[in-house]
Amino acid sequence: MSPERSKFTVTIEVVPPAGPDAGPILARLEALAALPVDGFSIATNPVAKPRMSALALCALIQQRAGRPAILHCTTRDHNRLSIQALLWGARALGISTVLAATGDFVALGDRARTTTVRDVDVFALVRLAREAGLRTGVVLDPRPESNGLEREIRRLERKAETGAEFAVTQPYYDEVSVRALAEATRHIGIPIVLGILPLRTARHAEFLHHQVAGIAVPQTVRQQMRQAKDPAAEGAANARKMLAAARQYLAGACLMPPFDHFEMLFDILP
């Protein structure tokens, strides 16, 4: 399972549990069986905090939920030996697609006990994944806080030249920006999947805009969240708009339920 130009693909991003018990998250994903979803995209140690092995959860999801799982693989956590072993292990467990990423930076306060590896860069990771026979995607982070879309397009061009076969974006919240993204990436020739992170509250929208690199929530959207009688419903409505924009301009969407609020998906997906 991976994005193709001929078929609009919908995936759900899943954050593994902070511990060894996968039962609760698997049960919640099985409850989504009726939704029109093509597969799950499994994060690896997001925000540089320890979580259950994404590889293990991918295998469990494919066994229990019966849908494909995309393995996120970062350069942050592995040296070359470990990355090679991870990619071969993914193939052995029936995982066909990986998302190659640099990974979130380790917080300054954690660096005394947690080191960043980065034995290879993301371009080498893409090459290793392709050599392992895996369909390989990458992340597109336009860094709106620094007007970094032009630089990111150049990086995406390099990633595609290296072998990347699709890209997943950071979350977007307005159609104008989605259309601009589609126009800016059209020449690269690989499917672009729109990240959609539904807003829960006005505070959530402000936090994402001001505190999370790579995410810009427009002032109009933040104002709508502040004025909404039901902020969660307003956030779901915005997510539906972004899904419609993705269907119009791009090749797929990756829904990222905040704080494991998977129930929001029933209000977003048709």
Side-chain angles (χ1 to χ4, degrees), residues 141-151 213-216:
D141 180 358
R143 301 190 183 278
E145 67 277 5
S146 59
N147 296 316
L149 180 59
E150 183 177 342
R151 183 181 65 179
I215 298 180

Side-chain angles (χ1 to χ4, degrees), residues 241-257:
K241 292 177 183 177
M242 292 304 95
L243 182 59
R247 290 186 184 279
Q248 182 174 356
Y249 299 111
L250 301 174
C254 179
L255 292 160
M256 307 167 179

Side-chain angles (χ1 to χ4, degrees), residues 29-268:
L29 297 183
E30 288 175 328
L32 305 178
L35 290 177
V37 172
D38 297 289
F40 299 98
S41 188
I42 314 305
T44 182
N45 298 331
V47 299
K49 300 294 183 182
R51 293 278 177 164
M52 176 187 287
S53 160
L55 176 61
L57 188 58
C58 279
L60 290 170
I61 285 173
Q62 292 195 161
Q63 292 168 9
R64 287 274 297 271
R67 288 176 177 169
I70 297 172
L71 171 66
H72 293 202
C73 182
T74 73
T75 64
R76 177 196 59 213
D77 301 340
H78 303 278
N79 65 15
R80 183 179 290 270
L81 292 173
S82 179
I83 284 177
Q84 186 68 82
L86 179 70
L87 297 172
W88 284 339
R91 281 294 306 277
L93 290 170
I95 295 162
S96 62
T97 306
V98 296
L99 186 70
T102 300
D104 299 322
F105 287 99
V106 175
L108 185 61
D110 292 335
R111 293 179 188 176
R113 60 181 183 274
T114 302
T115 59
T116 295
V117 183
R118 303 201 198 286
D119 197 26
V120 299
D121 62 18
V122 70
F123 305 102
L125 176 53
V126 169
R127 285 193 293 269
L128 286 169
R130 289 298 306 277
E131 289 168 3
L134 293 157
R135 182 163 176 82
T136 306
V138 292
V139 174
L140 193 161
D141 180 358
R143 301 190 183 278
E145 67 277 5
S146 59
N147 296 316
L149 180 59
E150 183 177 342
R151 183 181 65 179
E152 182 62 18
I153 293 302
R154 292 196 298 269
R155 279 180 58 83
L156 185 58
E157 289 169 348
R158 285 186 60 198
K159 291 174 182 178
E161 291 169 0
T162 303
E165 296 167 279
F166 66 93
V168 181
T169 78
Q170 287 277 46
Y172 275 71
Y173 292 94
D174 66 289
E175 182 180 346
V176 172
S177 296
V178 174
R179 185 169 63 248
L181 171 72
E183 294 172 354
T185 57
R186 185 172 294 113
H187 69 283
I188 299 176
I190 64 173
I192 306 296
V193 176
L194 185 71
I196 301 175
L197 196 169
L199 301 171
R200 290 284 298 169
T201 65
R203 184 178 179 182
H204 182 213
E206 295 292 342
F207 176 81
L208 291 174
H209 180 74
H210 293 290
Q211 302 296 328
V212 180
I215 298 180
V217 183
Q219 172 64 27
T220 54
V221 175
R222 286 181 280 143
Q223 183 175 353
Q224 289 166 356
M225 291 296 293
R226 288 193 297 269
Q227 296 175 345
K229 293 182 179 179
D230 186 342
E234 182 67 30
N238 176 266
R240 288 194 296 272
K241 292 177 183 177
M242 292 304 95
L243 182 59
R247 290 186 184 279
Q248 182 174 356
Y249 299 111
L250 301 174
C254 179
L255 292 160
M256 307 167 179
F259 319 116
D260 289 344
H261 281 287
F262 294 103
E263 74 281 357
M264 290 187 75
L265 298 175
F266 290 96
D267 293 329
I268 296 169

Side-chain angles (χ1 to χ4, degrees), residues 16-31:
D21 184 6
I25 191 74
L26 290 171
R28 299 186 73 181
L29 297 183
E30 288 175 328

